[in-house]
Amino acid sequence: MSSSEPPSSTPGSSANPSVSSNDVEPRPARRTVTLAIVVGGCAIAAATAIPAAAFVSAPIASKGAAGRWVRTLRLDQLVDGEPKRVAIVDDRRDAWTIERAVELGSVWVVKNGDEVSAYSAVCPHLGCSVNVAPGAGAGFACPCHTSAFAPDGKRKSGPAPRDLDTLATRIEEGFVAVDFRRFRIGIPEKVEA
Amino acid sequence: MSLLRRLGDFVDQRTGHRALLAHALDEPVRGGARWAYVFGSALLGSFLVQVVTGIALMTSYAPSEKTAWASVHYITFIQSGGWLVRGLHHFGAQAMVVVLAAHLTQVALYGAYKKPREVTWWLGLSLFAMTLGFALTGYLLPWDQKGYWATRVATNIAGTVPVVGDATQKMMQGGAEYGSLTLTRFYALHVAVLPALLVLIVSAHVALFRKHGVTPSARADLTRVELFFPKQLLKDVVAVLAVVAVVFVLAWREHGAPLDAPADPASDYPARPEWYFLALFQLLKYFHGPLEIVGTVVLPAVLGAYLFALPLLDRKPGTALRGRVGPLVPLALIAAGAVGLTLQAQHQDAGDEAFQKERLKADERATIANRIAKEGVPPEGPLAMMRRNPDLRGPELFDKHCTACHTLGAHGADKDRTAPKLDGWGTEAWVLAMIHDPDGDARFGRSIYKGEMPSVDVPSPDSPPTFKPMAAEDQAAVAAFLASFGDTAPPRDPAKAAKGKTIVAERCTTCHLFEGKGDDSDEGLAPELSGWGSVPWIRAQIANPATNATYREHALDASRKGHMPRFDGEIRAEDIDLLATWLHAATRR
């Protein structure tokens, strides 16, 4: 290390052996040194701050889980026109953790004749969990900010910016499968998160 | 420009920042700017790097026994920029230790500890201890084998201190054993307690330094006075830049920082501390039994006491090195001793074959752990992940349960072998060798089945006069068919395998079972051939070789002494699965 060097080898000290102060320093030289200090300081800051900033902002580039078909309940467990809340059970990858067969969320499933519809249980207003409204055929209601939705998911009243988000369904070997997705909250358009 | 000036005026009237800045920059440097004075600033600079990267790491690190390793793995291998941030933090810590040693050396050589700067020196010593505290607590946080075992040694050393040792150790560990509380305590020390103390003491250290100013070299021209800005500041910036550059290059070259396998309290691990603690580590080898405490406590305490007392021992006026040789001799001895012990420790490890072998094994485990964790770590933690991996668990189980009779590759000793060698078992080549020469040494030659199976092409004394050697082409078909059960890919030549099936069903069932039927000779010896070599066949054979699914129902009768035993009571079902999966792959390698 340079601490063991003889002190006389200190560079830059021979140029101005007697008295030196900032005032005798020629202006252009002083400006160059100042510039060097600023550039050096910025380089040090950048070498640390840029990797750290990239690290901390990594989640911005992350995407929500892609859509996936998940089997829920058997078709014959549904009563015509009666919404049923079903859990979406599948594997979940969360940062470093992989969990097998956990509840990812829930959706509302309704059968009307041959048609089976599914609605995301996440309120498009601010993400509360939507419930059925009291009374048969009353549709859905959000318990947080009183948004109300018709039985077919259409927005009836309240602050919600759009209808309940519909999810694709299909019948697999007698089971209702749902294409489980999440959508961005609080905007009028249905956009995947 | 004038707008900027007016803004400056506005702020200055309200904060007085110009006077503050001038005070900071116009510090007089007696004797002029020198490279020798840069180490303090270099330390501050590298500490700031640690703060920035450390806070970034905190946003992804999760301190618990089940998540610490997994989150560090995520940082290192998955999160973008993670490897670099962790690499900068890892090598930045080592750089701090190096620069700290340089700073201390410079201060000692220049006599900067002397009256009236004793308190500055003492504060500096406490900062030294704190930096080592940072290194020690940080080393544990990844909760990998390296950090875990090295830190256990350190806390056990704390435990050997008389009177307060036990309480200290329990305080540090959060109990009598290592666990999640150890991690949370070390984490709290590392990210809150030590940083707060450090900032406090650094402030006092710098304030005292500013009060007394630099200690110029004894030969310096004291009539020459420069201000801190710009010459000394430039040198300081260059020094910090150099440290950061070295750290950056190291982090880049190593692509981050190493991560060992997850901490496993049940494993054998060749524990070594980080290189700057190697001297202390080596010291412990020389003190045995009741003298142990000399290496763990007495010598380090004497060293600390000496450093503390140095300004009191060296009281003669003047900073010329010649007049201070006496008080500085111990420091030189300590430095030489530390270097010597470090080299000795490295030399001994390099020449220690057992250690190298253990190290290699540990590295292999780390590589596998880091690979499989990319698929995610279960909530039960990384050890559960390791336990459920056939590549890791398989060889362990094989060594423990199978090598008494079998060998496979480097597993098991051939002199102890009383059952077939398993290399290549299940492949076409193995079947060809088996049907030609069943009693070969690698096959039944040393087992109780020696002499029980006839060759298909070499007549034996028991062969009937009608014996006709099997055509080479038919042998190849039989081999292709039997090997196909264990193949993951469909047979390359389906017609050949189909022909093999016909031959097996006709010719082998005199003794063997095939799809549950056969054994016309009624001897009850030869195993089932359908599924032979597949994972289910191996699993069934390990669990219980006397079910007709593999070997026959009488295989474990007293008359068949020496037959492979059943393991279903001894090895858990999940482990039998893993062993079968691994064996299936390993025999084919």
Side-chain angles (χ1 to χ4, degrees):
Chain A
M1 285 273 105
S2 51
S3 65
S4 52
E5 284 172 12
S8 58
S9 74
T10 309
S13 58
S14 52
N16 222 346
S18 58
V19 180
S20 127
S21 107
N22 295 312
D23 299 323
V24 269
E25 195 101 28
R27 279 277 149 194
R30 192 185 151 93
R31 180 166 280 185
T32 314
V33 172
T34 308
L35 193 69
I37 289 170
V38 170
V39 168
C42 287
I44 294 163
T48 313
I50 291 175
F55 180 84
V56 173
S57 54
I60 295 173
S62 74
K63 290 214 166 60
R68 47 176 138 190
W69 285 94
V70 180
R71 277 188 198 186
T72 59
L73 73 185
R74 281 200 318 278
L75 182 59
D76 58 28
Q77 287 173 296
L78 286 174
V79 178
D80 239 21
E82 214 173 88
K84 200 158 175 140
R85 190 183 192 124
V86 295
I88 298 294
V89 176
D90 201 3
D91 294 349
R92 173 166 181 257
R93 179 84 199 243
D94 168 31
W96 51 83
T97 312
I98 180 120
E99 283 184 282
R100 306 284 176 202
V102 287
E103 292 197 7
L104 302 174
S106 55
V107 298
W108 288 101
V109 180
V110 199
K111 185 173 84 133
N112 285 304
D114 290 342
E115 198 185 326
V116 178
S117 319
Y119 304 100
S120 169
V122 179
C123 180
H125 175 219
L126 287 173
C128 286
S129 194
V130 173
N131 216 331
V132 277
F140 303 94
C142 179
C144 290
H145 311 106
T146 66
S147 290
F149 305 90
D152 63 354
K154 292 270 178 294
R155 188 172 71 96
K156 280 202 306 201
S157 62
R162 61 173 190 257
D163 303 337
L164 282 182
D165 297 314
T166 52
L167 298 166
T169 62
R170 66 184 182 210
I171 306 302
E172 290 175 357
E173 297 164 7
F175 282 87
V176 178
V178 176
D179 184 17
F180 184 63
R181 287 164 197 274
R182 294 188 189 280
F183 302 92
R184 283 182 59 191
I185 299 298
I187 55 172
E189 303 83 18
K190 179 182 170 189
V191 182
E192 263 192 73
Chain B
M1 200 60 200
S2 79
L3 188 70
L4 209 63
R5 166 143 288 168
R6 271 166 54 204
L7 186 70
D9 291 344
F10 177 89
V11 176
D12 190 47
Q13 281 157 18
R14 283 150 187 84
T15 64
H17 76 278
R18 280 180 184 145
L20 215 63
L21 197 66
H23 176 71
L25 293 179
D26 295 346
E27 174 204 355
V29 180
R30 285 201 307 146
R34 278 173 187 277
W35 286 103
Y37 304 146
V38 300
F39 298 110
S41 299
L43 269 176
L44 260 184
S46 34
F47 175 66
L48 287 178
V49 173
Q50 295 304 93
V51 170
V52 173
T53 52
I55 290 174
L57 288 171
M58 281 174 75
T59 62
S60 284
Y61 175 71
S64 89
E65 218 187 8
K66 301 280 184 267
T67 57
W69 185 89
S71 63
V72 175
H73 178 276
Y74 180 80
I75 290 169
T76 312
F77 295 102
I78 297 174
Q79 190 169 353
S80 62
W83 64 270
L84 184 56
V85 174
R86 183 165 169 252
L88 291 175
H89 200 70
H90 176 83
F91 289 107
Q94 305 189 20
M96 275 193 80
V97 175
V98 174
V99 180
L100 190 60
H103 188 43
L104 191 133
T105 309
Q106 186 269 326
V107 167
L109 289 178
Y110 273 60
Y113 51 80
K114 294 188 70 148
K115 186 184 169 188
R117 298 185 175 83
E118 296 96 325
V119 178
T120 323
W121 168 255
W122 290 330
L123 290 176
L125 288 181
S126 69
L127 290 170
F128 188 172
M130 263 177 234
T131 307
L132 293 185
F134 267 111
L136 184 81
T137 50
Y139 206 49
L140 177 72
L141 297 184
W143 205 248
D144 63 352
Q145 289 279 68
K146 206 183 253 181
Y148 178 84
W149 290 102
T151 314
R152 262 179 75 141
V153 173
T155 45
N156 284 332
I157 287 174
T160 66
V161 177
V163 191
V164 293
D166 188 53
T168 311
Q169 183 177 7
K170 281 184 178 154
M171 273 284 281
M172 286 171 83
Q173 290 177 188
E177 302 282 332
Y178 262 52
S180 280
L181 285 176
T182 319
L183 256 182
T184 45
R185 279 173 179 248
F186 272 60
Y187 186 57
L189 283 174
H190 191 80
V191 307
V193 178
L194 286 171
L197 278 175
L198 190 102
V199 167
L200 211 71
I201 296 184
V202 162
S203 313
H205 187 69
V206 172
L208 285 183
F209 165 73
R210 287 296 302 266
K211 178 178 163 64
H212 298 300
V214 298
T215 310
S217 140
R219 279 173 289 175
D221 171 13
L222 293 185
T223 56
R224 179 164 161 246
V225 176
E226 282 175 345
L227 298 185
F228 178 64
F229 177 84
K231 275 195 174 166
Q232 187 61 48
L233 181 56
L234 180 66
K235 288 186 166 66
D236 287 6
V237 167
V238 168
V240 178
L241 203 58
V243 174
V244 171
V246 168
V247 167
F248 216 91
V249 167
L250 285 173
W252 197 274
R253 210 190 55 186
E254 299 286 315
H255 199 76
L259 180 63
D260 212 331
D264 182 356
S267 66
D268 310 313
Y269 185 82
R272 291 291 180 275
E274 194 65 299
W275 61 265
Y276 39 80
F277 286 127
L278 267 183
L280 285 172
F281 160 82
Q282 183 69 10
L283 198 58
L284 302 182
K285 293 186 188 167
Y286 303 124
F287 298 98
H288 302 271
L291 287 181
E292 172 94 84
I293 198 160
V294 175
T296 55
V297 181
V298 176
L299 282 180
V302 167
L303 191 151
Y306 158 72
L307 287 174
F308 180 84
L310 182 59
L312 309 175
L313 298 173
D314 181 9
R315 305 179 63 136
K316 268 191 282 176
T319 56
L321 202 50
R322 203 175 304 138
R324 295 184 296 123
V325 170
L328 285 182
V329 162
L331 187 66
L333 287 179
I334 290 164
V339 172
L341 285 168
T342 305
L343 292 177
Q344 178 71 1
Q346 286 176 337
H347 175 74
Q348 281 182 2
D349 280 349
D352 183 347
E353 235 167 82
F355 169 77
Q356 295 297 339
K357 214 171 141 190
E358 287 279 296
R359 190 60 254 169
L360 217 65
K361 217 171 93 186
D363 287 341
E364 211 170 291
R365 231 176 129 71
T367 309
I368 297 177
N370 284 326
R371 175 165 50 78
I372 60 180
K374 284 176 188 153
E375 306 297 317
V377 177
E380 298 88 342
L383 284 183
M385 171 193 84
M386 306 275 281
R387 257 199 318 275
R388 292 172 197 165
N389 182 269
D391 288 341
L392 287 167
R393 191 71 178 134
E396 278 175 23
L397 291 163
F398 189 84
D399 284 342
K400 195 165 163 201
H401 299 285
C402 312
T403 51
C405 305
H406 287 285
T407 66
L408 170 57
H411 300 275
D414 198 59
K415 62 174 172 52
D416 304 331
R417 185 167 62 82
T418 58
K421 212 172 168 167
L422 292 176
D423 302 77
W425 183 84
T427 62
E428 285 188 42
W430 195 90
V431 176
L432 282 174
M434 185 68 183
I435 59 180
H436 165 67
D437 177 19
D439 289 345
D441 181 65
R443 293 172 293 278
F444 281 165
R446 300 193 200 173
S447 78
I448 59 156
Y449 282 91
K450 186 178 180 183
E452 300 287 4
M453 175 168 164
S455 165
V456 295
D457 57 355
V458 182
S460 72
D462 306 340
S463 308
T466 52
F467 179 84
K468 221 172 65 195
M470 189 189 279
E473 196 186 317
D474 290 355
Q475 290 184 31
V478 167
F481 172 62
L482 289 179
S484 70
F485 294 114
D487 282 341
T488 35
R492 268 169 312 184
D493 187 349
K496 190 170 159 192
K499 182 180 168 197
K501 182 175 181 180
T502 320
I503 302 170
V504 165
E506 277 174 13
R507 190 160 169 176
C508 305
T509 48
T510 318
C511 304
H512 281 281
L513 289 182
F514 180 65
E515 297 179 343
K517 291 193 282 288
D519 190 13
D520 307 330
S521 62
D522 213 22
E523 284 189 59
L525 285 180
E528 171 67 61
L529 288 178
S530 65
W532 179 84
S534 65
V535 174
W537 198 96
I538 303 171
R539 188 194 297 131
Q541 173 71 4
I542 298 170
N544 183 354
T547 61
N548 283 348
T550 58
Y551 273 82
R552 310 291 289 278
E553 56 207 315
H554 296 298
L556 295 179
D557 288 0
S559 59
R560 303 299 304 157
K561 197 165 178 288
H563 194 281
M564 174 164 160
R566 61 190 287 184
F567 286 95
D568 52 359
E570 199 176 327
I571 313 180
R572 291 180 313 149
E574 308 93 272
D575 281 345
I576 292 182
D577 255 6
L578 292 171
L579 179 55
T581 309
W582 176 75
L583 262 176
H584 173 261
T587 51
R588 277 146 200 278
R589 253 169 228 148

